[in-house]
Amino acid sequence: MSQRFFISESIEAGQLELTGAEARHLGRVMRAQPGDQVTLFDGQGCEALATIQQVDRDHVTLQVDELLEVDRERPVSLVLGVALPRGDRQKWLVEKLVELGVSSLVPLVTERGVAQPTDKALDRLRRMVIEASKQCGRNRLMEIDMPRTLEDFCQAHADFPRKLIAHPGEAAGGLDKQGLMLNPDEATVAAVGPEGGFGDSELDIADRHGWQRISLGPRILRVETAALALAGLTG
Ligand code: SAM
């Protein structure tokens, strides 16, 4: 059985218990049997091969066979603050950002934002992170941070060497795509605005905190396209 399963406790040698949705998936959906081998990951960077010992209604007992040293993370971190789009576009965005190795996604609360995520919505996105990580082989979970205003976001990430705010048509005064690719080794924090764009006062806030404006080309991109472009261009 080649599927990956997420375990919320850190993986160490010995016996482990899989519980909740992951145990139900393994036991009821995959119809796993004692003796089957699966891959486990703990979301903190560890992956292991483990053999199923016992399958119960809501939990599965496994024995770790081998701890695997696999690092599929980016060499440097990328934190993205995004004014989230609505509904399915939000889930799609989270899935793709996990695949592209983004370290942390911060929902931005902006002047013109449409979706202000509730705790329940954030929990759904965190579940999406696990599903996407199972699929793409990532062993460290992308963090879904608490929602922040731009001021709060800038303050919380002041120590990053590269701080960017995506704004259409800003190449003359800021960075363009080529400039962005010149320093792939710098830990980066970047902000993407809502469909209506950042307001002037928000752009002023970013200026005051020394954030660089970046153009992603001559066309206006949807929120999720802009976020994916930034993730792709920064390594
Ligand atoms: N009319 C809005 C404006 O002029 O800002 C368009 C907003 S766009 C749909 C949503 C967000 O994606 C923007 O706030 C920006 O962060 C990012 N974005 C979209 N296209 C971009 C581009 N060509 N260059 C830089 N950022 C872009």
Side-chain angles (χ1 to χ4, degrees):
M1 193 176 293
S2 64
Q3 269 204 323
R4 287 160 47 84
F5 292 86
F6 170 68
I7 183 154
S8 53
E9 63 181 283
S10 26
I11 294 178
E12 284 165 20
Q15 221 175 45
L16 291 174
E17 298 288 328
L18 206 60
T19 55
E22 290 295 275
R24 286 192 290 277
H25 185 204
L26 186 52
R28 294 192 208 163
V29 182
M30 303 302 296
R31 299 186 177 282
Q33 300 294 326
D36 289 347
Q37 195 180 52
V38 295
T39 303
L40 298 178
F41 71 104
D42 64 7
Q44 301 165 47
C46 273
E47 180 177 301
L49 292 175
T51 298
I52 296 172
Q53 295 193 309
Q54 192 172 328
V55 182
D56 292 311
R57 198 174 153 72
D58 271 330
H59 74 272
V60 176
T61 311
L62 303 109
Q63 176 71 33
V64 172
D65 301 323
E66 190 183 350
L67 293 170
L68 303 169
E69 300 270 330
V70 208
D71 184 4
R72 302 192 184 96
E73 294 304 302
R74 290 173 167 248
V76 290
S77 65
L78 170 63
V79 174
L80 277 186
V82 182
L84 294 178
R86 285 190 211 270
D88 284 351
R89 288 171 58 200
Q90 204 174 89
K91 286 197 260 166
W92 187 86
L93 171 66
V94 166
E95 181 182 89
K96 300 306 155 205
L97 294 183
V98 170
E99 290 172 18
L100 289 168
V102 171
S103 328
S104 176
L105 172 65
V106 184
L108 287 184
V109 179
T110 58
E111 284 172 21
R112 301 176 187 153
V114 286
Q116 306 304 356
T118 58
D119 287 349
K120 210 167 143 196
L122 293 176
D123 281 348
R124 269 200 304 273
L125 294 183
R126 292 189 181 108
R127 186 67 218 167
M128 192 72 224
V129 169
I130 293 173
E131 289 308 318
S133 304
K134 285 168 76 169
Q135 179 274 322
C136 76
R138 206 168 161 188
N139 290 328
R140 195 170 286 281
L141 295 185
M142 178 176 83
E143 183 189 9
I144 303 276
D145 202 351
M146 63 179 191
R148 292 181 186 273
T149 62
L150 195 69
E151 174 76 52
D152 196 13
F153 184 57
C154 290
Q155 278 177 13
H157 299 90
D159 56 347
F160 271 64
R162 190 158 64 162
K163 301 182 282 267
L164 309 170
I165 181 161
H167 190 56
E170 284 299 329
L175 265 181
D176 58 12
K177 285 191 279 186
Q178 279 71 28
L180 188 59
M181 286 187 284
L182 285 179
N183 292 314
D185 300 333
E186 277 183 329
T188 300
V189 56
V192 175
E195 287 307 328
F198 285 116
D200 288 342
S201 61
E202 289 171 323
L203 294 169
D204 288 347
I205 289 170
D207 287 346
R208 231 184 331 104
H209 284 272
W211 287 46
Q212 220 174 349
R213 294 190 193 180
I214 161 116
S215 166
L216 297 168
R219 291 166 298 280
I220 302 289
L221 311 177
R222 302 298 290 263
V223 176
E224 55 273 42
T225 320
L228 293 196
L230 273 169
L233 290 167
T234 52

